[in-house]
Amino acid sequence: MASGNLDYYELLEVSRDADADTIKKAFRRKARECHPDVSDAPDAEDRFKEINEAYDVLSDPQKRRQYDTYGSVDGAAGGYGYSDFGDMFGGAGFDLGDLFSAFFGGTRASGRTVNLEGRDMAMNISVSLQEAATGVEREIRYDRLAPCDDCHATGSADGSAPAACPDCGGTGQRTTYRQTILGTMQSSVPCETCGGTGTYIKNPCPECDGSGRVIDRETFTLEIPAGISDGQTIRRREAGEAGIRGAKSGDLLFTIHVSADDRFQREGNNLHARLPLSIAEAALGTTKEVEGILETLQVEVPAGSQQGDRIRVKDSGMPVVGRPGARGDTLYHVDVIVPKKMSPAVYELVKQLSAELGDSPTSNADELASRGGIGDRIRGFKRGVEDFKDWVTGN
Ligand SMILES: [Zn+2]
Ligand SMILES: [Zn+2]
């Protein structure tokens, strides 16, 4: 989409030394002229994309410098542009067409009421489990209909108050009558003159055409708190679409997606992980050093650990949102690894072990029984293994 040989200044019809405000206003004007919903020109969509690309470069001081020096910008409009809107606002059923039809004075009329308030906007943000554990910042950049500064969102160029619409007498509705075989049918439609608002502006602000809102590119840093869960939302009040002529703005909602991790499985604030042990480590007990989600941990493995046993390391799991210092636990699932390849020396030792233990591991079972309820132990073992299997297969 980056076309390299476009003259961005020419596209926006601004001089090469135009300041940021001039560029912004030129973009708004051009975007209104060329938007595919308004323009009949067959190349309107391409023109609109070019204007977005020009604004993307010229509104960013670093990209603009690069463009002025080299005549092109790597990845201009690459990560951001017209085509991204569908994805960005898809979750809320918001698309660029909506953005612009609203901009051009369209209002949402359902039945007899016209809603002047701005709509909520939505964005999806993906973070890794590691980022969810540490907390992370994301640079957010988006376009929205923002309150117009030039007229303080009143829509009026001279500050005069809106007057009642002469065509609908201020009701915002026009009643139509139709003759049918059942008699006269009466129906109400939003008034076209005032867009259903019931008021009109005598001397509209040229920047916003009297709507009190203009398209604006917003940037800010979103702080995602440590411990955030998959599917949780973060709301920024009134950062969504501005209302018409100063009516309340919608909110901006971020839905956080925490991606799966190949080392840890999350369960609330607790984490589950495998703990591979040799048969000797499991039999004799040991202290294993492992990488936890945020720090190195010492896992105390008791002698006689069995496959599927869980060893809990307290306060090493996910941080708890809103409770500084509080954390869940990590549960390590013992996974005894039987050697497939053995040196002659190890082979001899295992043979000796076998002779010493006898042909069946009944002595071991007796010992388990003496530790309290063999049935419980077996059930516990099965549960441990099954959980682990679910985790590996991603269920
Ligand atoms: Zn204005
Ligand atoms: Zn009207």
Side-chain angles (χ1 to χ4, degrees), residues 304-385:
S305 286
Q306 305 297 313
Q307 176 73 17
D309 278 1
R310 299 171 180 205
I311 303 172
R312 184 182 292 265
V313 183
K314 282 203 151 299
D315 302 324
S316 66
M318 294 297 282
V320 182
V321 178
R323 280 175 55 203
R327 288 174 69 180
D329 302 333
T330 309
L331 289 114
Y332 283 94
H333 294 234
V334 168
D335 191 9
V336 180
I337 307 295
V338 177
K340 279 187 180 164
K341 283 183 180 167
M342 286 179 270
S343 66
V346 169
Y347 185 80
E348 277 313 310
L349 285 167
V350 174
K351 266 183 87 175
Q352 278 177 41
L353 183 65
S354 172
E356 192 64 35
L357 290 176
D359 287 340
S360 70
T362 45
S363 57
N364 192 18
D366 290 344
E367 192 200 313
L368 287 177
S370 72
R371 278 206 248 157
I374 189 162
D376 291 346
R377 294 291 300 182
I378 289 169
R379 273 194 296 278
F381 167 74
K382 275 191 181 157
R383 197 168 56 231
V385 169

Side-chain angles (χ1 to χ4, degrees), residues 147-157 204-214:
C148 174
D149 289 338
D150 286 20
C151 62
H152 306 286
T154 61
S156 165
C205 164
E207 186 66 8
C208 63
D209 286 344
S211 69
R213 51 189 191 177
V214 286

Side-chain angles (χ1 to χ4, degrees), residues 41 44 59 73 147 153 191 238 247 254 287 289 337 353 360:
S59 63
V73 176
C191 168
E238 302 195 17
F254 296 95
T287 302
E289 193 173 279
I337 307 295
L353 183 65
S360 70

Side-chain angles (χ1 to χ4, degrees), residues 11 33 36 49 66-67 98 108 113 141 144 154 158 173 205 212-213 219 237 243 252 284 299 336 343 385:
L11 272 172
E33 274 170 34
K49 285 179 186 176
Q66 198 185 340
Y67 176 72
D98 285 349
R108 283 162 295 142
T113 55
R141 200 152 162 258
R144 70 156 179 157
T154 61
D158 54 13
Q173 301 288 317
C205 164
R213 51 189 191 177
T219 52
R237 299 228 172 257
L252 177 58
L284 303 175
V299 182
V336 180
S343 66
V385 169

